[in-house]
Amino acid sequence: MRGYPAVVPDRIADPWGSRTPYPRGGAWPVRVDTFLRDGVTSDEVEQWVPTASLLHSNGDAMDVAVKDGRMVGVRGRADSRVNHGRLGPKDLFGWQANESGERLERPLIRRGGELVETDWGSAMDAIVDRSRELLGEQGPSAFGIYTTGQLFLEEYYTLGVIGRAGLRTNHIDGNTRLCTATAAEALKETFACDGQPGSYADVDHCDVLFLVGHNVAETQVTLWARMLDRLEGPDPPKLVVVDPRRTVPARHADVHLPVRSGTNLALLNAILHELISDDQVDHAFVDAHTLGYDELLKRVRDCTPEWAAEICGVGADEIRAAAEILGAHDRILSTCLQGVYQSHQATAAAVQINNINLLRGALGKPGGGILQMNGQPTAQNTRECGANGDLPAFRNWANDEHVEQLAQLWNVDATAIPHYAPPTHAMQIFRYAEQGSIRFLWISATNPAVSLPELDRIRSILAKEDLFVVVQDLFVTETAELADVVLPAATWGEKEGTFTNTDRTVHHSGKAVQPPGEARADLDIFLDYARRMDFRDKDGEPLIKWHDAESAFKAWQACSAGRPCDYTGLSYEKLRAGGETQWPCNEQFPDGRERLYTEQDFYADPDYCESYGRDLVTGTAVESDEYRALNATGKAIIKAAEYLPPSEPPDEEYPLRLNTGRTLYHFHTRTKTGRAPQLAAAAPDVWVELSAADAQGHGVAEGDVVDVVAPRGVVRAPARITDIRPGVVFVPFHYGYWDSNGSADDHRRAANEMTITQWDPASKQPLFKTAACRIEKVADADGQAAPAPTTTASQPIASITPTVGGAAAEATEELAG
């Protein structure tokens, strides 16, 4: 990395670092960020081990510094196509959690109602004995597997084969259901297959950045740094932001549309109405490469900006201004994330973003692309490998030929692979556990006792006497405390494997240090379970025929061959040498493919596609015959949807809209970031974000303690007065109870005490951003108890004037959450 400055600024106060502006079509300049433990210099580092970030979905390539067998720091990789050497705060500081004194080092087992240490043999015997007992009593339907977006590709694939062809259960999903199930579903609805069409390099070429419900400055820090450098360079792109909060990207926007939570679809339908009304449609592209335009035309005919303004609470002229920008350019990079995925009519809204790019012909060319963003570092692998319930390598569970392909690959009968119904999604898995039909639940690297909606219900499910819970994690999480067996897992930097970021870039992650105590790699745990269960193929040979990460990768390559996510052109040797590569990587694309659909070569052929699609409003699956009749030639599909109001709108008792989300400094439930000193200090506890109008209506000042009350639960926290739109309350969801002070307010800390048990009909993703609430002042900032309230809330105003034409806010301003 010589020749580049090592940048070590205060990356808590300035998360994005110094600016390096560049013009459209230019190369993003390199800036190498480094952080080493106090007292350690670069010259003292004994080894730099290549890897990539495991605390967000951007896939920032980095090297881990090793000295005396310990991690002592990280530095960005200058040769990375993803981050060009830059690292965000979670990259720079999060690795310190690996050395926390609270790491699990030995298995735990529940005896006499308490978790006590045990040896690996006893822990695995307990798991295997219960597995065999339930297979004999009930069969495969007794088993549920709930995994994560933080394991490695090799681990997901192994877990998926164990679940489908070993246990033969249909109840497999990941916590990616909570963050990016809608990304996958939206791509399936438009292109009949998962796989991000765009590339991060599209930032370099685009004329418009269209960010919908995507606070990229906090969720993908280095991607925002890239966008900022384009915005501050010559010939900057226009920036259109849709977000109810005035986030950092919103402050830089040419048009900011602060919509009411749950109204994304209405806004997007109005933008489509304007594009069509003004004839800003690439008719040649639409006619040649898509289906469904006429249906869209009818659906949005009456969706005028005035109609949407009343629903969304933004000005009609501002909606027109956004549509004019989109209609004037065809190099549009559209992105979206949880503001769409976790909100009302999630898939329907995400699909309309795809539709905007299709209408403009903004697809498959530099600067013209779609990134249905991921939330977790390896969420793409959860989906590719089938650990989210779908079949591996984007095969179609409703296509018998695809099931037969897997049966031949695994050497089992096709009837052994469950495909009698759609795979069971996470919310239904927990429902079956609640009802008692699922009696064994294996949870790996996730913390549903904090991250799922309506937590009081989730805790009661996990605590059921008739549910055997296995938890595989780094720490004793809130979920682990309710388990029957807890297995200590190794993590990033302590094991080897590969993983893939949002724009399909595959990274190799090397083993830098040994895991603590007796902790084991997740892959080794799964392989041990398979051996002990003695899973066999139809010839009596072991079902799992690989033994380590590299042999598991080769098995995955065979599974991916000929499919959209083809890895056959990759190898550990190539990836270890720093050859991060986008899939597909095969004979046709030996160096990977930067953008999909450059030749409008969609994966939508009826015999090849991953999905036949669903009705966006009801979620009803499209049947094979219906799809074949509609799309025999495999075109992209323009799908329209009618806006419907949320099922829990504000009312007299709960007059405000609850919005939950992330902060820049933490990841999920803080099991790692909460143990990194700089990150923990930057955001130590939960807060409640209110507009000035709503704060005034409640007599609340900055720092006053308030209760956010929803029909299901309460969160108590200090208030922050920001320029969030009136009528909306924001609470970050990261905070649970593992580091709480044991006070009576313990169960008033987690945002998901309040969220609703509902999900999108198509993607089955829970709705974390669509619920009603009210505010009650508890105490002044100095701790003085508040008098009984005389009013419960100020009424949300009908409209708020958006920011138009300004990118004046500095990146170093206080973060909006």
Side-chain angles (χ1 to χ4, degrees):
M1 300 295 173
R2 296 188 179 183
Y4 301 109
V7 180
V8 195
D10 181 356
R11 295 300 298 281
I12 296 298
D14 182 11
W16 311 285
S18 57
R19 298 277 54 76
T20 54
Y22 68 111
R24 181 162 73 86
W28 188 27
V30 167
R31 187 196 78 203
V32 176
D33 295 345
T34 303
F35 174 73
L36 295 174
R37 189 186 301 280
D38 285 346
V40 177
T41 67
S42 294
D43 292 340
E44 295 174 312
V45 174
E46 297 166 359
Q47 186 181 15
W48 293 95
V49 180
T51 182
S53 175
L54 202 68
L55 289 171
H56 53 76
S57 67
N58 211 57
D60 295 341
M62 67 176 77
D63 295 323
V64 173
V66 180
K67 180 185 177 186
D68 298 329
R70 297 178 60 201
M71 288 186 182
V72 294
V74 293
R75 72 179 178 192
R77 292 185 62 87
D79 58 356
S80 171
R81 64 169 303 278
V82 173
N83 54 310
H84 292 221
R86 291 161 183 76
L87 297 175
K90 290 195 287 288
D91 302 327
L92 289 166
F93 307 125
W95 58 270
Q96 296 168 98
N98 282 36
E99 295 195 337
S100 167
E102 297 176 317
R103 284 288 298 274
L104 276 165
E105 296 190 5
R106 298 195 70 205
L108 307 176
I109 193 167
R110 189 168 297 280
R111 290 185 177 138
E114 300 291 330
L115 285 173
V116 297
E117 283 193 352
T118 189
D119 59 89
W120 271 99
S122 299
M124 295 305 293
D125 283 347
I127 295 170
V128 168
D129 289 348
R130 187 58 177 153
S131 298
R132 288 176 172 158
E133 183 180 9
L134 288 171
L135 280 173
E137 287 181 9
Q138 181 177 332
S141 65
F143 293 85
I145 294 173
Y146 185 58
T147 189
T148 183
Q150 299 171 60
L151 301 184
F152 289 166
L153 176 154
E154 297 81 356
E155 293 163 338
Y156 292 128
Y157 183 56
T158 302
L159 180 61
V161 177
I162 288 171
R164 283 192 180 78
L167 293 171
R168 304 185 179 185
T169 181
N170 204 32
H171 308 323
I172 304 174
D173 204 356
N175 68 2
T176 50
R177 185 65 54 186
L178 315 184
C179 60
T180 52
T182 299
E185 191 63 35
L187 294 169
K188 293 178 196 176
E189 297 301 335
T190 300
F191 305 109
C193 187
D194 198 349
Q196 299 290 347
S199 165
Y200 288 163
D202 288 329
V203 174
D204 307 341
H205 301 278
C206 67
D207 294 321
V208 180
L209 287 164
F210 184 37
L211 312 182
V212 186
H214 180 200
N215 186 5
V216 60
E218 303 204 31
T219 55
Q220 286 89 22
V221 170
T222 59
L223 182 59
W224 174 242
R226 192 172 193 156
M227 293 177 177
L228 269 178
D229 287 345
R230 270 296 322 273
L231 290 169
E232 296 194 10
D235 193 17
K238 296 290 185 181
L239 176 59
V240 178
V241 173
V242 180
D243 199 307
R245 303 165 68 207
R246 194 166 179 262
T247 59
V248 170
R251 296 175 198 158
H252 286 76
D254 295 279
V255 178
H256 172 213
L257 299 168
V259 295
R260 294 186 179 115
S261 301
T263 66
N264 293 320
L265 181 57
L267 174 74
L268 294 164
N269 277 350
I271 290 174
L272 287 162
H273 171 277
E274 286 298 286
L275 293 177
I276 294 169
S277 296
D278 294 341
D279 199 24
Q280 299 295 336
V281 176
D282 185 339
H283 291 286
F285 182 93
V286 169
D287 292 346
H289 305 300
T290 74
L291 301 167
Y293 177 72
D294 290 341
E295 180 188 350
L296 178 70
L297 191 67
K298 289 186 287 187
R299 175 59 62 195
V300 303
R301 180 173 290 131
D302 297 326
C303 297
T304 64
E306 285 74 18
W307 167 84
E310 185 175 345
I311 294 169
C312 302
V314 298
D317 288 344
E318 282 65 51
I319 297 173
R320 288 192 178 89
E324 286 172 7
I325 290 173
L326 294 166
H329 303 89
D330 64 357
R331 294 188 183 272
I332 303 166
L333 177 58
S334 297
T335 76
C336 61
L337 194 58
Q338 310 304 8
V340 173
Y341 302 161
Q342 295 180 341
S343 192
H344 178 59
Q345 292 189 286
T347 304
V351 166
Q352 305 320 305
I353 296 167
N354 296 346
N355 288 345
I356 288 170
N357 278 62
L358 290 176
L359 262 58
R360 296 297 304 135
L363 188 72
K365 57 187 175 185
I370 299 163
L371 289 171
Q372 296 277 349
M373 297 296 297
N374 296 340
Q376 293 191 75
T378 66
Q380 195 63 46
N381 302 121
T382 315
R383 301 190 332 235
E384 293 166 8
C385 298
N388 69 331
D390 291 335
L391 294 186
F394 300 155
R395 288 179 171 86
N396 190 338
W397 71 269
N399 186 327
D400 288 342
E401 291 184 7
H402 288 199
V403 177
E404 182 60 36
Q405 290 171 12
L406 290 177
Q408 292 181 18
L409 185 71
W410 298 338
N411 195 30
V412 298
D413 290 326
T415 55
I417 301 172
H419 60 287
Y420 50 84
T424 310
H425 61 89
M427 301 300 288
Q428 192 63 52
I429 287 174
F430 278 85
R431 178 61 174 154
Y432 287 157
E434 184 176 42
Q435 294 172 330
S437 61
I438 286 181
R439 299 160 65 191
F440 182 111
L441 185 58
W442 193 321
I443 300 169
S444 51
T446 187
N447 191 13
V450 177
S451 60
L452 281 177
E454 202 171 345
L455 289 181
D456 188 56
R457 171 176 172 262
I458 297 303
R459 286 188 292 265
S460 68
I461 294 170
L462 293 171
K464 280 168 55 74
E465 293 272 341
D466 61 352
L467 180 65
F468 188 85
V469 177
V470 178
V471 169
Q472 189 168 310
D473 216 317
L474 314 183
F475 301 96
V476 180
T477 64
E478 293 87 342
T479 301
E481 290 176 349
L482 300 169
D484 295 282
V485 177
V486 181
L487 303 177
T491 186
W492 167 97
E494 301 167 357
K495 60 183 182 179
E496 184 176 26
T498 58
F499 57 93
T500 308
N501 79 342
T502 296
D503 83 337
R504 298 172 284 104
T505 301
V506 184
H507 296 274
H508 176 267
S509 183
K511 182 176 180 178
V513 298
Q514 293 296 325
E518 299 176 18
R520 294 182 180 178
D522 297 273
L523 177 62
D524 292 337
I525 296 171
F526 297 145
L527 291 175
D528 188 24
Y529 177 70
R531 283 192 296 267
R532 290 170 181 268
M533 290 294 293
D534 197 27
F535 294 130
R536 298 278 169 171
D537 67 16
K538 64 183 180 182
D539 293 331
E541 296 299 318
L543 174 67
I544 306 298
K545 298 173 176 61
W546 48 94
H547 60 278
D548 62 7
E550 188 166 4
S551 58
F553 183 80
K554 291 177 180 178
W556 163 249
Q557 286 181 292
C559 182
S560 74
R563 296 301 300 163
C565 52
D566 194 331
Y567 281 62
T568 53
L570 293 171
S571 68
Y572 263 38
E573 181 181 8
K574 178 177 180 176
L575 292 169
R576 281 179 181 135
E580 57 178 25
T581 305
Q582 290 171 285
W583 65 250
C585 182
N586 51 23
E587 289 186 3
Q588 184 181 3
F589 303 105
D591 297 318
R593 190 177 189 184
E594 187 162 64
R595 295 172 187 85
L596 302 184
Y597 313 139
T598 53
E599 308 298 325
Q600 292 75 53
D601 47 344
F602 306 115
Y603 302 133
D605 181 273
D607 292 323
Y608 189 78
C609 67
E610 181 187 7
S611 173
Y612 303 131
R614 294 178 177 276
D615 184 283
L616 297 182
V617 174
T618 67
T620 302
V622 176
E623 297 295 332
S624 172
D625 291 345
E626 182 182 356
Y627 181 84
R628 291 174 184 276
L630 169 73
N631 198 15
T633 56
K635 294 184 176 184
I637 305 168
I638 295 174
K639 282 195 171 183
E642 175 189 7
Y643 169 74
L644 301 172
S647 63
E648 188 174 277
D651 57 21
E652 186 174 345
E653 185 176 3
Y654 301 102
L656 303 173
R657 296 171 189 260
L658 175 65
N659 189 1
T660 69
R662 305 181 184 217
T663 179
L664 186 151
Y665 304 107
H666 286 304
F667 181 69
H668 276 216
T669 62
R670 300 167 51 254
T671 52
K672 291 188 281 290
T673 55
R675 292 175 168 93
Q678 298 88 342
L679 301 176
D685 213 337
V686 68
W687 72 89
V688 175
E689 195 170 314
L690 299 172
S691 71
D694 290 326
Q696 183 179 12
H698 291 82
V700 172
E702 181 78 15
D704 288 353
V705 178
V706 299
D707 279 349
V708 185
V709 184
R712 290 153 296 280
V714 179
V715 164
R716 177 168 293 180
R720 291 186 185 178
I721 314 304
T722 72
D723 47 11
I724 191 173
R725 70 160 295 128
V728 176
V729 175
F730 175 81
V731 181
F733 80 95
H734 307 284
Y735 298 90
Y737 308 107
W738 61 265
D739 61 344
S740 61
N741 59 15
S743 72
D745 291 337
D746 272 2
H747 288 287
R748 294 190 174 190
R749 195 181 190 210
N752 284 321
E753 304 288 353
M754 303 182 290
T755 47
I756 192 169
T757 303
Q758 290 185 4
W759 51 84
D760 179 74
S763 69
K764 317 304 181 187
Q765 183 159 345
L767 308 185
F768 292 103
K769 297 179 183 291
T770 306
C773 68
R774 68 174 183 265
I775 290 292
E776 296 176 355
K777 182 175 176 179
V778 175
D780 293 334
D782 61 6
Q784 187 116 18
T790 57
T791 181
T792 57
S794 60
Q795 291 299 315
I797 62 174
S799 180
I800 183 170
T801 303
T803 303
V804 179
E810 294 295 324
T812 53
E813 286 184 22
E814 180 187 1
L815 299 176

